[in-house]
Amino acid sequence: MHGASEGWTAGTIKKRRAILDIVVEWFGPERDMGQIGRKDAAACKKAVLLQLPANRGKSAATRGLPLREPIRVQGVPKIDSATVNAYLSACKNLWVWAEAHGHVSEVLFEGLAVSKRSAASKNRAPFAQEALTKASTVLTDPGSKFYEKQNHRWATLIAMFSGARLNEVCQLKVDDIKEVEGTWIFDFTEQGDETKRLKTSAARRRVPIHSHLIELGLLDFISSPRNKGHDRLFPDYTYSEKSGYGDKLSKWFNRTFTPALGIKSDAHVFHGLRHTFATRPAQADVETERMQFIIGHERQGVTHQVYMKEGYTLAQTKDAVERFIIPRGDAAAP
């Protein structure tokens, strides 16, 4: 594996190895890659990847079993479509490398992606407006019991008003909040700490800070960790190779926060805040490409991939961010 040269994190390298271990186990460690053809790759997808149990190494029904046994176990959930496609992509990349280095004559596992959306993907929907208003209200009302939980409160509000991913928010450093050309921004970058990571190169971006966060006192909040000698915005969030810095916030949000508000559902998960932020400005006539740039998605089409490499100006992105509005609620905060 050549993960270091690709800029992969240790967690990514571990996942890729686990995927390729499945391929090696299926075809056999002595099998010459050059003797594996397209029909073999398609058969691997059908017989193995589409039948692979979720959490194979953790479930008592499948843990420790050779590959050909757990794929025959009945009554256990299978890996979802997104995971199948991730496995297929990793396999294809291995064959791309092998073809480039003369080990095989063609690239396999191309064109085999599963198009059906997984149940998990369907659940990643925008928050219902009432639920979003309720969440915003209790996080901004000094009379709410959630108001005093400063790290969770501010991390959730930042995600809510920027569309940033869970780990992007939780790994922020104090210096990642800065003023550029008269505009306060979040500088989402992997620079400054070897444990910081971004999902893709498109995730490296500057997002104007919503004026509502400024009004709520975000700039005052960032002085607290700095005055205590911390360089990270949320020093209480600890790092793990698997989850980055987001584990503590994710568990609180899904196990404590949404249940207490009576809004817990498959859709109202932390990632749903990102979907909500991406959806509301689009409904206010912000074009898709500008929202892709703001939330850190890969942009589509030659115009934006080739001729718009510099992206949008801060003025353009600030205008889009400000179109995200959450109506105020009147209900008493818990």
Side-chain angles (χ1 to χ4, degrees), residues 1-3 6 8-23 86-87 89-94:
M1 300 284 286
H2 50 295
E6 297 289 344
W8 294 346
T9 65
T12 298
I13 293 174
K14 184 177 181 180
K15 289 178 181 178
R16 298 272 175 123
R17 288 190 185 279
I19 294 170
L20 298 182
D21 283 345
I22 291 173
V23 176
Y87 280 29
S89 177
C91 293
K92 185 194 75 173
N93 288 338
L94 173 62

Side-chain angles (χ1 to χ4, degrees), residues 45 50 80-82 84-85 88 111-118:
K45 169 193 169 182
L50 293 178
D80 61 29
S81 299
V84 171
N85 287 335
L88 290 168
L112 298 181
V114 179
S115 60
K116 182 180 179 181
R117 295 177 63 192
S118 68

